[in-house]
Amino acid sequence: MALPLAAQELDQAVAAFYRFIRGLPATDVAEKAWGPKEVLAHLVFYSESYVAQVDATLAGRPAAPPRGWWDDLNAQAVEVSRGVPVAELLRRLETCAGQLCAVAQAHDPARIAVQVTHGATRRTLARLMGEEAGHIRHHLQALERQARRGYLDDVDRLRETVDGFCRFIWGLPQEMLVDASPAWGPKDVLAHLAFWHERYVAQVEAVLAGAPFAWPAGRRDDLTARAVEASRDVSIDKLLRRLQTTDERRRGLARTLDPQNVLGEC
């Protein structure tokens, strides 16, 4: 029986990822916060879960997908990979892909269901292999871009965007720059941007200082509303300076730090 198209895509995606990792110098696959090795460990974690679920289904046993939040599961995958050689992780990823492709060739992949995590939508093996191929390609493209320092282009674009936004605010009539509660106006948007920029920079600087960082309690919308309310008596000039100063600090960090060694939360 011919190998299904989704299985071919998975096989090709794994092979491309394998070649990329094997082509990196040893320093690039050293253990980091979220570098090539950690991405590989993440892919292995889920691939092995899919294989275990498929094996259980074929054996007539209940499948047991991973339980937990994405961030917690990714942290778990990285933690168990510490000290495991990259070559071993690559071997495990290839083995999983080979096993899934073999099952898809010997059985009807549309009749075998898998879950990415407990409670997630059940996917047929045929659909899952296609999605996993795309998942692997997505990570590969991101790592390739990081390897050639393409993220520095984003630093320049961020400055252009912030500068353009500030010029736009400066050019507005004064009557448009008043507090606009309950509807959002330009000043509210500016306060929102200044608040979130400051939070992003603060957590990176906390990581660098080895200090804890905690987001203010509340949902994202509530935090934004509180930031806007706190800006009521703050001048437009001061809000603009806060945004520009924070943007400059953020760009400075982005130019000097290894982005694979700094994890932040949005």
Side-chain angles (χ1 to χ4, degrees):
M1 184 185 297
L3 195 63
L5 179 59
Q8 295 178 38
E9 292 178 353
L10 178 61
D11 182 65
Q12 292 166 3
V14 168
F17 193 88
Y18 181 98
R19 289 192 298 271
F20 171 77
I21 297 294
R22 288 300 298 267
L24 292 174
T27 52
D28 286 6
V29 290
E31 293 181 347
K32 299 183 178 183
W34 189 258
K37 184 183 179 186
E38 289 68 33
V39 173
L40 173 58
H42 157 80
L43 296 176
V44 169
F45 176 86
Y46 284 100
S47 294
E48 291 183 337
S49 167
Y50 303 148
V51 169
Q53 291 181 62
V54 168
D55 286 348
T57 299
L58 293 177
R61 302 190 310 270
R67 290 175 176 265
W69 297 102
W70 293 106
D71 287 349
D72 295 336
L73 292 173
N74 285 335
Q76 176 185 333
V78 169
E79 182 61 30
V80 298
S81 76
R82 295 308 188 198
V84 179
V86 169
E88 171 63 14
L89 293 173
L90 284 171
R91 184 196 64 77
R92 287 163 56 184
L93 182 63
E94 278 196 312
T95 298
C96 288
Q99 290 173 316
L100 292 175
C101 289
V103 169
Q105 192 169 25
H107 302 270
D108 182 356
R111 298 176 65 86
I112 301 174
V114 178
Q115 288 177 287
V116 178
T117 60
H118 179 79
T121 302
R122 292 173 67 83
R123 293 163 168 80
T124 65
L125 179 58
R127 174 182 170 186
L128 177 86
M129 288 192 298
E131 290 181 350
E132 188 60 16
H135 177 209
I136 293 171
R137 287 194 297 266
H138 166 76
H139 279 299
L140 175 58
Q141 290 166 1
L143 289 174
E144 288 174 334
R145 189 168 187 269
Q146 290 171 15
R148 63 175 183 269
R149 295 173 65 82
Y151 56 87
L152 293 177
D153 295 338
D154 295 333
V155 176
D156 294 333
R157 280 194 290 270
L158 178 61
R159 177 175 185 171
E160 293 169 2
T161 301
V162 170
D163 286 351
F165 179 82
C166 291
R167 287 195 300 271
F168 170 77
I169 295 295
W170 274 111
L172 291 175
Q174 190 62 38
E175 59 269 21
M176 293 186 65
L177 299 177
V178 297
D179 299 325
S181 182
W184 265 39
K187 183 180 179 183
D188 303 310
V189 175
L190 175 58
H192 157 80
L193 292 175
F195 172 82
W196 287 105
H197 264 63
E198 288 169 346
R199 300 289 83 69
Y200 298 146
V201 169
Q203 65 177 312
V204 173
E205 292 181 334
V207 170
L208 295 178
F213 175 83
W215 282 94
R219 296 170 57 250
R220 185 180 181 90
D221 289 348
D222 295 335
L223 293 177
T224 294
R226 282 153 50 187
V228 169
E229 184 60 32
S231 74
R232 295 303 181 204
D233 296 325
V234 180
S235 69
I236 288 289
D237 287 351
K238 185 172 182 178
L239 288 173
L240 284 170
R241 284 197 301 274
R242 281 173 53 190
L243 178 60
Q244 290 175 313
T245 298
T246 307
D247 176 61
E248 184 175 354
R249 288 161 60 200
R250 187 177 183 180
R251 287 185 283 106
L253 291 169
R255 286 195 177 95
T256 57
L257 298 177
D258 179 351
Q260 296 175 343
N261 259 329
V262 180
L263 287 182
E265 294 180 335
C266 296

